[in-house]
Amino acid sequence: MKSSPTRSLFGDISKQQFLAEYWQKKPLLIRGALTGFSSPITADELAGLACEDEVESRIVIEKGGNHPWELRHGPFQESDFTSLPESHWSLLLQEANKQIPELAELLDVFDFIPSWWLDDIMISYSPDQGTVGPHYDRYDVFLLQVEGRKNWQISTLPVDENNVIDDIELRIMKTFHSEQEWTLEAGDMLYLPPGVAHHGVAQGESLTYSIGYRALSQSELLASYFDFILEQHDGKRHFSDPALTVQQHRSEITLETIKKVTQLLQEMPFDSESVGRWFGRFATEPNQPMARYLPEQPLTSQQCLQRFKTSPLTRHAHCRFNFTTLTSGAINLFIDGDEYQLNPEQVGFGHIICDNTHYCHDELAPYLNDPQLSSLLLRWVNDGTLYFTDE
Ligand code: SIN
Ligand code: CO
């Protein structure tokens, strides 16, 4: 990638200003945001990836399919591509950043948004007039035009859940009134907050990357937190009411009873330490198991440290590393849903490990005499969380 990852995407607008004025608030068109960026994957390679089992891919055919707005799910076969119409379709590849390690560098450009919030990079390839139709998403997205041109229309009018075309698998808006319209050229980028309706149509062949963020719903958070608490907490206390008196109606569930049940439920911890321990695991849990580059034979600690002196380490593209800071100054490190506690002297190691995806010996050397930290490093090398870059 030719653009420096440290360069601001927004020209005169600082990262802080972007967050204050636009993030989760209003759309922003950025002309020439990443002009030097060239796709590490061609359209043909994208089609090849869409034929693999572990890759989530879809084709949306507006016209020329079996019916308008036909949705086909991958994995595809080569013949699926040769039978497509000339125009009016799009191929979408989800979680491309996990398949294409070079995209980690592109993600560094978005370092002003906490890494736990990132969902994935989706890549869409379209021939002329290819589109996924007018729709809205519940998440923030940066739409980076990487090759060719795409015409985008947007609308910030309140969205209506019922405004969808009936009897198709996709949620495409029945009526869409464009408020603003631009044609994006390679290097241009459009930021959209959740709920802004958008309609992109390829003008000739087009490659678009969607850098999408998570839209965590209250119901999924609650379900996951309750599961965590049930695992941690024995939850074995039983309802009791030794002060029970005779009721007028034996069938009534009295206010006293309801208060006692409420008390029992409120014993469930909801403090920030418990929520932090759960959220770190939740946010870093992998969606699905992925193949890793394992060393031919598990290394010993000495072999690992020796090797590290001559080869940098890289984090596997699908691994998630985050941490929370505790009031004691210690940190909880979360790696793919696992939790490790580091004491205040070890936090520098945790910060380097979490904030970067490539590690050189010199920056971690001050911590490697600590047996706990060197054995963590060894464990991550032996289970493929980290791999030697020259492998
Ligand atoms: C596209 O690349 O055309 C669709 C991306 C999106 O709407 O999020
Ligand atoms: Co969208």
Side-chain angles (χ1 to χ4, degrees), residues 122 132-133 135-137 139 141 143 152 192 196 198-199 210:
M122 181 186 85
V132 299
H135 67 281
Y136 61 91
D137 302 305
Y139 50 82
V141 65
L143 298 159
W152 283 101
L192 297 177
V196 171
H198 48 289
H199 185 199
S210 302

Side-chain angles (χ1 to χ4, degrees), residues 247-356:
Q247 300 184 183
Q248 192 184 0
H249 302 280
R250 67 170 180 165
S251 54
E252 183 178 6
I253 299 168
T254 62
L255 188 59
E256 281 313 304
T257 300
I258 293 169
K259 281 185 182 159
K260 288 203 147 37
V261 172
T262 309
Q263 250 172 27
L264 207 57
L265 288 176
Q266 282 172 341
E267 282 179 20
M268 200 174 85
F270 251 119
D271 57 291
S272 18
E273 184 156 341
S274 308
V275 174
R277 287 191 54 216
W278 153 75
F279 192 68
R281 293 171 185 224
F282 171 85
T284 58
E285 236 155 46
N287 302 349
Q288 58 184 60
M290 299 266 290
R292 296 189 177 190
Y293 319 105
L294 297 179
E296 274 172 28
Q297 284 205 322
L299 302 180
T300 64
S301 183
Q302 220 185 357
Q303 286 169 326
C304 175
L305 293 179
Q306 201 54 38
R307 187 81 203 278
F308 190 29
K309 284 183 185 158
T310 54
S311 168
L313 281 165
T314 298
R315 186 199 302 178
H316 193 296
H318 91 275
C319 293
R320 286 182 171 269
F321 284 30
N322 290 100
F323 70 91
T324 57
T325 307
L326 308 178
T327 41
S328 61
I331 64 171
N332 274 342
L333 200 59
F334 300 96
I335 312 278
D336 291 349
D338 289 332
E339 179 184 350
Y340 309 86
Q341 197 171 104
L342 299 188
N343 66 39
E345 288 74 54
Q346 299 171 320
V347 297
F349 173 85
H351 292 167
I352 296 172
I353 279 285
C354 289
D355 276 347
N356 300 283

Side-chain angles (χ1 to χ4, degrees), residues 115-172:
S115 58
W116 69 261
W117 206 332
L118 177 80
D119 190 3
D120 71 343
I121 299 183
M122 181 186 85
I123 301 184
S124 76
Y125 164 79
S126 315
D128 189 35
Q129 301 304 308
T131 175
V132 299
H135 67 281
Y136 61 91
D137 302 305
R138 288 282 174 215
Y139 50 82
D140 302 81
V141 65
F142 293 93
L143 298 159
L144 173 65
Q145 191 60 28
V146 174
E147 283 174 21
R149 301 190 317 154
K150 195 173 262 177
N151 190 66
W152 283 101
Q153 296 183 320
I154 67 160
S155 164
T156 57
L157 296 172
V159 288
D160 170 4
E161 281 198 7
N162 301 316
N163 175 20
V164 284
I165 300 180
D166 298 321
D167 304 323
I168 56 169
E169 249 189 281
L170 293 155
R171 287 186 64 82
I172 295 180

